[in-house]
Amino acid sequence: MKTIISRYLPIVLTLVFLLGGTILFSGQTKLLAGTKPNNLGMATGQLLACPATPNCVNSQSLDAEHKITPLTYTSSAEDAFNTLKTVVQSFKQSAIAPARSQSFAQETGNYIYAEFTIPVVGFVDDVEFLLDKDAQVIHVRSASRLGESDLGVNRKRIETIRAKFNQLQTEVKA
């Protein structure tokens, strides 16, 4: 058995390396982007619920696995939303995405949709922000399009956004 593994392992690794290199250097990383969901956007003042898989976080979720704290602000809602846009656009791998033919807008007075692309492999995560002026929070949802586990990437991303958002809010006050 060991002889078979030691004999074929270099061949398998070489094929994986060549396939990965071909995809990477041919510009075909969109193969791993998945399809943009057509049911994103705010429905009745709520962001779409997370699927059963652990690759999603949502501040409006009721279950602990997917729950994350919304962003909070003390400035005006308009200033907070502008600060958030600045933060989202500061990520090299992000883009406030065009609405295309979807039934929702990419950005409105209280909603932002962005796509975050994972470098090298090209996986795309859908990230949404919904402003709740009454509660002075910005609800968040970040979900992977493909796979089941994201190794905590969506949660880490939102926490990084939160840290940058809070830092910029503090700088504006000073």
Side-chain angles (χ1 to χ4, degrees):
M1 185 68 155
K2 186 175 182 181
T3 308
I4 293 173
I5 292 173
S6 60
R7 182 174 180 186
Y8 290 107
L9 185 61
I11 294 169
V12 170
L13 290 175
T14 301
L15 288 173
V16 168
F17 177 76
L18 289 174
L19 178 61
T22 301
I23 289 172
L24 178 64
F25 294 112
S26 69
Q28 296 300 314
T29 56
K30 293 290 183 188
L31 292 174
L32 301 175
T35 303
K36 181 179 176 180
N38 61 7
N39 58 345
L40 296 176
M42 52 186 173
T44 65
Q46 298 280 319
L47 297 173
L48 183 66
C50 285
T53 55
N55 59 359
C56 176
V57 294
N58 184 335
S59 63
Q60 295 176 322
S61 180
L62 299 177
D63 67 279
E65 180 181 30
H66 298 108
K67 181 74 174 165
I68 193 162
T69 306
L71 306 177
T72 59
Y73 63 92
T74 55
S75 61
S76 72
E78 182 180 331
D79 287 347
F81 225 49
N82 287 334
T83 299
L84 176 60
K85 284 187 254 184
T86 300
V87 170
V88 170
Q89 292 167 342
S90 73
F91 287 83
K92 291 178 186 174
Q93 71 274 22
S94 74
I96 294 180
R100 297 186 192 107
S101 61
Q102 302 299 334
S103 61
F104 60 91
Q106 66 188 24
E107 177 186 334
T108 66
N110 68 339
Y111 176 82
I112 296 174
Y113 167 76
E115 293 177 346
F116 281 74
T117 304
I118 307 301
V120 181
V121 293
F123 289 116
V124 175
D125 295 338
D126 299 296
V127 183
E128 300 175 277
F129 303 92
L130 178 61
L131 179 67
D132 182 343
K133 292 179 184 179
D134 295 334
Q136 285 194 296
V137 299
I138 301 172
H139 287 289
V140 297
R141 180 183 187 275
S142 184
S144 302
R145 287 184 184 171
L146 297 176
E148 184 164 321
S149 174
D150 65 350
L151 304 173
V153 168
N154 284 293
R155 186 170 298 280
K156 288 175 194 167
R157 175 186 303 114
I158 295 302
E159 293 305 339
T160 301
I161 289 171
R162 180 189 321 283
K164 289 183 175 189
F165 178 76
N166 289 341
Q167 179 183 0
L168 281 178
Q169 285 192 108
T170 302
E171 290 174 7
V172 168
K173 287 180 184 176

